[in-house]
Amino acid sequence: MDFPHIEVKIKAEHIEEWDGDADKLVDWMEGINFIADRSPIVWKQLGSIVPTRFKKNAKMCWYSLPWVCRADASEDWDALKAEIRSYYMGGSWLNRQKLRAKNATYRNLTAPKEKPSEYYICKLKLLHTAEAYTQTKLILAIMEGAPKYWHSVIDTSTLRHTVDLQDKIIYHEDALMYGPGSSADGFERFERRIPHKVEANRAAKMLPRGKATDNPIKRDAHAYLIGFHKDLGKPPFPQDDRTLAKGKSPEEKGTRPCRHCGSPKHEDNECKYSKKGARKVKANFANPSEDYLEAMSAYEEANLGETSEEEDAEVGDEAEIEDNVFDEEEPESEN
């Protein structure tokens, strides 16, 4: 007797596309791992199907490989996964993930309205990607990025596993979200004053240039940005938002704005005032402090992968590549 059942058919469209963004690679691979666990046949087929879901930089890099390498990597999902790891997950990628994990804090400028439970998931995922931690160190690292008052709500000395911490965070979510002695309405009013982006809403508030950063709340918000240091001071030149970054802008990456003009739309070296500003930097920072050097190092680490991605994109604009891996004809020399 044929009992009613749900018929599940996996199509290529069910596989998420990937554009070569290394910071999204782990989440993308986890999604395909879930599909691969359906059956050995699916696991085998994914090796040849997944490359058809590559686009932009990922597609360009795939077709840059010799045909023999692509054929070997297409044997199954594990073979393809190993090829992707060897290409994208190098030393600079790992250093960038470590930096992202270290700098991830509760309700930073990239996620100003996140819930405590959402912060836990994001921070834990970054920590797992960066390196291997014990359960105790994971708990400490997660709490380190949270506000200090969380420790008065959650006693971490009794916790043995990250799941225990997650249960505590969900149970006390309201108390952790608003903090002691504050109400939800009061916190929301305060939250709306913190800029979601670095620009500080000059145009929206119609403030004269140079006065937007006089607000101490907005000025303190810059301290959450990668590469920020108090010694950088006020940008010496007028803000120029017309000059745009070639890749991701500082506001998209969570790094500090341009040190020369204060714009979140481009990096220091892309600023039209960079030559004039460089002379001032050399004069003002002849003997920089150790924490200033650490801030500059963090800023450079955050931009590690940007240059190589831009170069790959320029090559991709000139290269003519086929849209479907199954339509490709094998070179006669390799038959």
Side-chain angles (χ1 to χ4, degrees):
M1 183 177 182
D2 188 12
F3 293 99
H5 64 282
I6 298 175
E7 186 174 357
V8 180
K9 292 184 178 180
I10 301 175
K11 298 180 180 180
E13 292 75 16
H14 295 158
I15 301 171
E16 183 182 359
E17 292 183 329
W18 183 54
D19 61 1
D21 187 342
D23 291 336
K24 299 177 182 177
L25 179 55
V26 174
D27 289 341
W28 177 77
M29 292 179 74
E30 285 181 354
I32 299 181
N33 283 336
F34 178 78
I35 298 175
D37 289 338
R38 298 289 184 89
S39 72
I41 296 177
V42 172
W43 168 78
K44 182 78 173 176
Q45 292 175 331
L46 284 173
S48 56
I49 297 297
V50 169
T52 67
R53 306 300 290 167
F54 291 160
K55 62 179 184 177
K56 296 182 179 179
N57 179 266
K59 187 175 182 180
M60 180 194 68
C61 293
W62 173 251
Y63 282 100
S64 71
L65 297 173
W67 181 88
V68 175
C69 293
R70 297 201 303 272
D72 291 341
S74 300
E75 282 294 318
D76 52 51
W77 170 232
D78 284 352
L80 180 60
K81 192 161 48 175
E83 184 66 33
I84 295 173
R85 283 172 175 166
S86 65
Y87 193 96
Y88 284 96
M89 296 182 171
S92 61
W93 178 87
L94 184 59
N95 290 334
R96 188 164 64 250
Q97 302 314 307
K98 289 179 179 179
L99 186 65
R100 290 181 66 204
K102 179 181 178 181
N103 291 332
T105 56
Y106 175 63
R107 289 199 168 184
N108 56 26
L109 289 182
T110 61
K113 294 185 178 181
E114 72 178 349
K115 297 179 179 179
S117 56
E118 294 171 340
Y119 159 72
Y120 165 86
I121 294 172
C122 179
K123 182 78 171 183
L124 182 64
K125 185 177 295 184
L126 288 171
L127 291 169
H128 276 313
T129 303
E131 56 185 293
Y133 287 88
T134 63
Q135 291 295 308
T136 301
K137 288 185 177 180
L138 283 172
I139 292 172
L140 293 176
I142 292 170
M143 293 298 289
E144 185 179 354
K148 291 183 179 180
Y149 67 80
W150 280 31
H151 292 274
S152 63
V153 179
I154 299 176
D155 181 11
T156 57
S157 64
T158 62
L159 306 180
R160 296 291 177 266
H161 199 280
T162 52
V163 175
D164 300 329
L165 176 60
Q166 185 178 29
D167 291 340
K168 293 285 186 181
I169 290 176
I170 294 174
Y171 184 81
H172 298 288
E173 188 139 51
D174 287 343
L176 298 174
M177 191 179 301
Y178 303 119
S182 64
S183 64
D185 293 339
F187 188 87
E188 289 297 326
R189 287 197 298 272
F190 172 79
E191 186 183 52
R192 284 196 292 270
R193 297 174 65 189
I194 300 179
H196 177 60
K197 298 188 184 263
V198 185
E199 297 163 292
N201 295 326
R202 283 196 179 99
K205 294 187 179 293
M206 300 301 290
L207 293 176
R209 184 175 296 278
K211 291 187 177 181
T213 53
D214 291 343
N215 187 328
I217 294 177
K218 292 180 179 179
R219 187 169 60 248
D220 292 344
H222 286 72
Y224 292 96
L225 300 176
I226 299 173
F228 173 83
H229 193 275
K230 58 183 179 61
D231 289 346
L232 287 171
K234 184 179 178 181
F237 302 101
Q239 183 167 328
D240 172 34
D241 289 340
R242 293 186 178 182
T243 302
L244 303 179
K246 294 181 180 179
K248 292 182 179 179
S249 64
E251 63 184 342
E252 293 173 322
K253 295 184 292 186
T255 57
R256 62 163 176 76
C258 172
R259 68 185 304 165
H260 306 302
C261 71
S263 172
K265 302 295 185 182
H266 58 259
E267 305 294 347
D268 298 349
N269 61 339
E270 297 171 319
C271 184
K272 67 181 182 181
Y273 303 110
S274 60
K275 291 184 178 179
K276 295 180 181 178
R279 291 194 289 268
K280 294 187 178 220
V281 170
K282 289 181 180 179
N284 296 336
F285 296 95
N287 296 306
S289 62
E290 184 176 346
D291 55 343
Y292 172 84
L293 293 175
E294 289 180 359
M296 296 305 101
S297 177
Y299 179 79
E300 292 175 0
E301 287 281 353
N303 296 316
L304 270 178
E306 203 64 25
T307 303
S308 60
E309 289 176 6
E310 291 170 10
E311 292 175 352
D312 290 341
E314 291 176 0
V315 176
D317 291 338
E318 300 175 359
E320 295 183 0
I321 53 179
E322 300 175 3
D323 292 332
N324 195 315
V325 69
F326 297 113
D327 296 337
E328 180 189 13
E329 296 182 1
E330 298 179 5
E332 295 182 0
S333 60
E334 300 194 32
N335 281 339

